[in-house]
Amino acid sequence: MASYLIAHWSIIAAFLCGLLLAALSVWAVACWRRGKAIRSGKRGERIVAKELAKLKKKEYIIINDLLLPTSNGRTSQIDHMVISTRGIFVIETKNHAGRISGGEHAQYWQQHLSSQTKTLYNPLLQNRSHLRAVRRLLPKLDAELFSTMVVFTEAWRLDIKAEEIIKERRFLPDRHIKRTLIPEERQKKRWWRPWKEVVLDEHKVVMRIDGLLNEIKRRRRIIDRDSLHDIAEKLLASNVTDSSVRREHTEYAKRTSKDVSADISKGKCPRCGGRLIVRKSEKGEFVGCANYPKCRFTCSIDRLHH
């Protein structure tokens, strides 16, 4: 046996090296895929930050990548904040391409790319928790001063449905429009008002990046300019800069995503802990929380069985 190994050592060494290279290749691909979503998100944040930098510094204070403590001892990461005389805007960035569809209160939305469909956590719900963290630090400010925005940098169409969407625009034929987002093929071409956003109400907007600055600038002035720096200083004073805490926040976000999937597979509502039941609508069956209307969690039947 020893003589055989000595005689064929070069072949055996080449075989072992091939196995090692194959294992390293698989590991490298797995690491690249795990980091792909993070890299994509960071790229989207850079795009939005560059767009917000076009605002005048005298009238707008921009804060990017703000990590704030929450009441439960955790942290909440806010992609962008705009503090201005026109209000305080909490912005969540999504670098997703294709068509985005979903409901205002649904737990998950869908990303449609050709024949492929992926799911993403409802960014409106995500941004709602961010807003709570901000308002916890600014309790004396009225709720009317805050607005949440979800900005898609690559999406070409937004089909976001809500129970009631009222959009007021002076250039549109109807002063008040109650509807879901009008599909592009049914939109009237108006050079002065391209359709770029879904306004669920005055303080909750889902939009593409090409309409971001106009949406901010069109708001009326509601905050005194002298108060802007005081607001920004309070937020920056609470910003968590410790790298270990920021890493812990990222890991916690991954764990909670897995926990949500585990709860759904067990028939448990990840939002309130209630029982998930199958409901019917005009478009077919879906899964909803038994505690409706207090809890409006919904998901597809495929996700429940998955």
Side-chain angles (χ1 to χ4, degrees), residues 38-254:
I38 297 175
R39 292 193 299 272
S40 177
K42 292 297 182 183
R43 184 167 61 251
E45 291 175 19
R46 289 195 297 270
I47 292 172
V48 174
K50 185 176 180 180
E51 186 74 5
L52 292 174
K54 298 176 183 178
L55 295 170
K56 294 181 179 179
K57 295 183 179 180
K58 292 183 178 180
E59 299 182 19
Y60 302 90
I61 299 176
I62 314 299
I63 303 177
N64 299 309
D65 192 17
L66 186 65
L67 188 64
L68 299 178
T70 60
S71 57
N72 60 1
R74 297 291 181 179
T75 50
S76 181
Q77 193 268 335
I78 301 169
D79 293 340
H80 316 277
M81 281 198 66
V82 178
I83 304 168
S84 69
T85 57
R86 303 177 189 278
I88 300 172
F89 302 91
V90 181
I91 302 174
E92 173 68 20
T93 299
K94 293 297 178 185
N95 192 31
H96 292 73
R99 180 174 69 90
I100 308 297
S101 66
E104 177 185 1
H105 303 290
Q107 188 83 5
Y108 289 90
W109 288 1
Q110 288 74 45
Q111 177 191 16
H112 306 275
L113 290 166
S114 185
S115 60
Q116 188 179 21
T117 300
K118 300 180 180 180
T119 59
L120 64 147
Y121 186 75
N122 185 343
L124 286 173
L125 300 180
Q126 188 177 357
N127 219 15
R128 187 170 64 183
S129 65
H130 298 165
L131 179 60
R132 284 198 298 267
V134 172
R135 294 201 60 197
R136 178 173 172 265
L137 298 174
L138 305 170
K140 295 182 180 180
L141 297 183
D142 192 84
E144 296 297 316
L145 302 180
F146 296 89
S147 296
T148 61
M149 291 183 172
V150 177
V151 180
F152 285 89
T153 56
E154 299 291 339
W156 60 268
R157 175 172 165 181
L158 302 174
D159 288 337
I160 311 303
K161 299 176 177 60
E163 293 180 354
E164 183 174 330
I165 298 178
I166 298 179
K167 183 179 180 72
E168 181 179 347
R169 287 287 188 271
R170 56 183 176 173
F171 291 118
L172 291 177
D174 299 323
R175 184 169 180 271
H176 295 283
I177 301 177
K178 180 179 178 180
R179 55 161 183 79
T180 57
L181 179 66
I182 300 174
E184 286 194 2
E185 60 268 18
R186 290 172 48 200
Q187 292 180 24
K188 293 183 178 180
K189 302 300 181 181
R190 302 178 183 278
W191 63 270
W192 63 85
R193 183 63 69 179
W195 210 272
K196 299 176 181 178
E197 68 278 321
V198 185
V199 179
L200 304 175
D201 58 51
E202 188 69 13
H203 305 285
K204 194 186 302 178
V205 183
V206 182
M207 65 191 321
R208 300 201 300 264
I209 190 171
D210 47 0
L212 176 59
L213 298 187
N214 288 336
E215 181 63 28
I216 293 175
K217 292 177 180 179
R218 75 170 185 83
R219 304 292 182 92
R220 62 185 179 87
R221 300 181 187 276
I222 53 178
I223 301 179
D224 184 75
R225 182 179 295 181
D226 297 334
S227 305
L228 301 183
H229 289 283
D230 292 337
I231 296 172
E233 287 176 2
K234 289 181 181 178
L235 293 172
L236 290 173
S238 300
N239 184 31
V240 179
T241 57
D242 191 302
S243 58
S244 62
V245 177
R246 285 181 169 264
R247 281 196 303 269
E248 183 182 350
H249 171 83
T250 303
E251 293 300 322
Y252 176 72
K254 293 179 181 178

Side-chain angles (χ1 to χ4, degrees), residues 264 278-279 284-287 299-306:
I264 293 174
V278 177
R279 299 181 181 275
E285 295 183 337
F286 67 97
V287 176
C299 69
S300 66
I301 294 180
D302 292 339
R303 186 172 179 80
L304 176 65
H305 295 315
H306 178 76

Side-chain angles (χ1 to χ4, degrees), residues 1-12:
M1 183 66 180
S3 60
Y4 177 84
L5 293 176
I6 294 173
H8 298 85
W9 69 268
S10 60
I11 298 175
I12 296 172

